[in-house]
Amino acid sequence: MAKKKKYTVLDLFCGCGGLSLGFEKAGYNILLGIDIWKDALTTFKYNHKGSETLCADLSSIDYSEVDSLIKGQKVDVIIGGPPCQGFSIAGKRVVDDERNKLYKGFVGMVKYYKPKAFVLENVPNILSLGKGMVSDAIVRDFSNLGYKVVYKVLLASDYGVPQNRKRAFFVGMLNGKEFEYPQKTIQDYVTTKDALSDLPEYSIVEGGQYPTEPQSDYQRLMRKNTSCLHNHDITVHTEQTQRIIALVPDGGNYKDLPLELQQTRKVHIAWTRLNSKKPSITIDTGHNHHFHYEYNRVPTVRESARLQSFPDDFIFLCGKTSQLKQVGNAVPPIMAETIANSLKEQI
């Protein structure tokens, strides 16, 4: 029986490669990841061995350079999450705002390669901006290129990710079909404790051994392809910070603190403990406001990666601050894989 062809993928604004990892696990061939941030590309290249990377500004991309890197191969799918800073400008046709050149770079790439499909992800409030003008404009831009476009906000925890992260997805297909989004894939949500309870309070030397056996199906899945632990270097807080964290119960926040301590940080998410019995709140890019459900510290890079559904054999490179940002900016791979599988069936 002939081997089925792998669909080829270009990942724009790829970051460290969460979206690409999901598509890779679904059987796609990731040709190239493009981003402007070198640290993220360093991690992307290390973990996507067969893929090329390009450090470039997508608002002024040279298509011939891309052609050269992918060796003239046909591009079947384009994926990515363009930053859309200008979309909040009301009044004129918002998508023409000068600051949306990056979004226009995504549109231009789709126009140039005419893939079978594209997947564009973004923050959920993109759908409500300008009273729907922005989402209408995005649909119109791609409809003009011949794509049937549908959008939806998905919740990562519905697909087995231990995190209540919402993302908006626009999927366009060239075959005239309307993409059907995947249904919820799990009954029981994966909790923060399911994700993290095998990882210790203390730092583990890079590539060291796990101190315990996996304690949940999710941990077994995360540890499936490695016997070594990476990126588990704890942050040591000041004694005062540790004392304050200790006053917050599992799943609690600043409201659980004495009144005189509630205003020590001027953001409403401050002093928030993860809830061991629920999926995590949205992982940020390392602002030190979210704390472990049990330990008096912020999550390590590996713990944050677990909550994003990166497997333990996906290793983050460059400095710790950079690594946390890479993790926080990513699309959860398990969520991406679910979308990729649905798309494969419908192309």
Side-chain angles (χ1 to χ4, degrees):
M1 191 172 148
K3 193 176 179 184
K4 198 172 179 185
K5 173 187 175 289
K6 279 189 172 187
Y7 290 121
T8 55
V9 177
L10 276 190
D11 190 350
L12 314 182
F13 312 96
C14 64
C16 67
L19 203 48
S20 273
L21 183 62
F23 272 76
E24 199 173 76
K25 286 186 177 294
Y28 294 71
N29 178 20
I30 313 299
L31 299 177
L32 175 67
I34 306 176
D35 206 285
I36 196 78
W37 187 25
K38 286 182 179 175
D39 283 11
L41 287 176
T42 301
T43 294
F44 184 101
K45 182 67 177 169
Y46 183 83
N47 291 283
H48 298 89
K49 302 282 195 237
S51 310
E52 297 294 332
T53 56
L54 174 61
C55 189
D57 180 346
L58 271 142
S59 65
S60 55
I61 195 84
D62 181 349
Y63 296 131
S64 64
E65 193 173 4
V66 177
D67 286 337
S68 172
L69 283 167
I70 66 174
K71 300 178 174 60
Q73 293 180 78
K74 169 108 178 69
V75 175
D76 295 316
V77 183
I78 290 180
I79 61 177
C84 301
Q85 296 97 327
F87 280 175
S88 56
I89 305 297
K92 62 177 181 168
R93 184 163 180 266
V94 283
V95 182
D96 286 334
D97 186 273
E98 177 70 10
R99 290 171 298 172
N100 284 322
K101 287 191 297 188
L102 292 171
Y103 160 73
K104 285 297 188 186
F106 190 107
V107 178
M109 198 70 88
V110 170
K111 182 179 181 180
Y112 181 80
Y113 284 106
K114 269 297 173 81
K116 292 176 169 54
F118 72 85
V119 178
L120 186 156
E121 67 84 29
N122 221 282
V123 292
N125 71 351
I126 196 169
L127 303 185
S128 57
L129 286 176
K131 296 181 179 173
M133 283 173 62
V134 171
S135 50
D136 290 349
I138 292 172
V139 171
R140 188 162 60 244
D141 279 347
F142 289 106
S143 297
N144 289 341
L145 299 179
Y147 290 86
K148 185 83 173 174
V149 186
V150 285
Y151 55 80
K152 189 173 184 180
V153 172
L154 301 181
L155 179 64
S157 55
D158 284 344
Y159 303 99
V161 177
Q163 183 186 172
N164 284 326
R165 187 187 195 92
K166 289 182 176 177
R167 301 301 288 177
F169 288 89
F170 291 77
V171 179
M173 298 175 72
L174 204 52
N175 60 10
K177 293 181 188 171
E178 196 170 275
F179 178 69
E180 289 183 28
Y181 281 88
Q183 297 296 310
K184 180 177 173 178
T185 58
I186 59 156
Q187 291 305 311
D188 298 320
Y189 287 115
V190 182
T191 67
T192 307
K193 188 172 183 179
D194 291 336
L196 305 183
S197 62
D198 63 327
L199 299 175
E201 184 173 8
Y202 49 87
S203 293
I204 294 286
V205 66
E206 187 62 16
Q209 297 297 304
Y210 293 93
T212 59
E213 292 298 310
Q215 293 161 32
S216 69
D217 289 342
Y218 183 79
Q219 291 168 20
R220 275 184 279 279
L221 177 66
M222 293 295 102
R223 290 166 62 162
K224 186 177 174 184
N225 296 316
T226 181
S227 58
C228 301
L229 185 51
H230 300 272
N231 303 122
H232 192 69
D233 176 28
I234 71 161
T235 298
V236 179
H237 302 284
T238 65
E239 280 189 25
Q240 186 198 11
T241 297
Q242 290 180 58
R243 275 199 304 272
I244 296 175
I245 305 168
L247 296 171
V248 180
D250 182 343
N253 59 30
Y254 73 96
K255 293 175 185 172
D256 296 296
L257 294 171
L259 275 174
E260 67 273 14
L261 293 176
Q262 288 187 12
Q263 297 302 313
T264 48
R265 294 188 179 183
K266 301 293 185 185
V267 286
H268 73 281
I269 57 166
W271 307 114
T272 299
R273 276 247 199 226
L274 300 176
N275 190 321
S276 63
K277 298 180 179 66
K278 295 180 180 177
S280 163
I281 49 183
T282 300
I283 288 298
D284 63 14
T285 53
H287 293 127
N288 288 353
H289 295 311
H290 301 152
F291 299 96
H292 193 283
Y293 61 84
E294 181 181 359
Y295 308 138
N296 298 327
R297 58 166 176 75
V298 292
T300 62
V301 172
R302 179 52 52 199
E303 287 165 341
S304 295
R306 282 271 187 97
L307 297 174
Q308 279 277 56
S309 75
F310 280 98
D312 288 8
D313 63 336
F314 192 100
I315 299 168
F316 295 86
L317 302 177
C318 304
K320 188 162 76 171
T321 301
S322 172
Q323 291 171 16
L324 286 165
K325 187 177 176 186
Q326 292 172 43
V327 174
N329 282 339
V331 176
I334 285 179
M335 187 187 204
E337 184 180 357
T338 307
I339 292 167
N341 279 322
S342 285
L343 185 62
K344 194 165 56 172
E345 291 166 12
Q346 296 176 57
I347 290 178

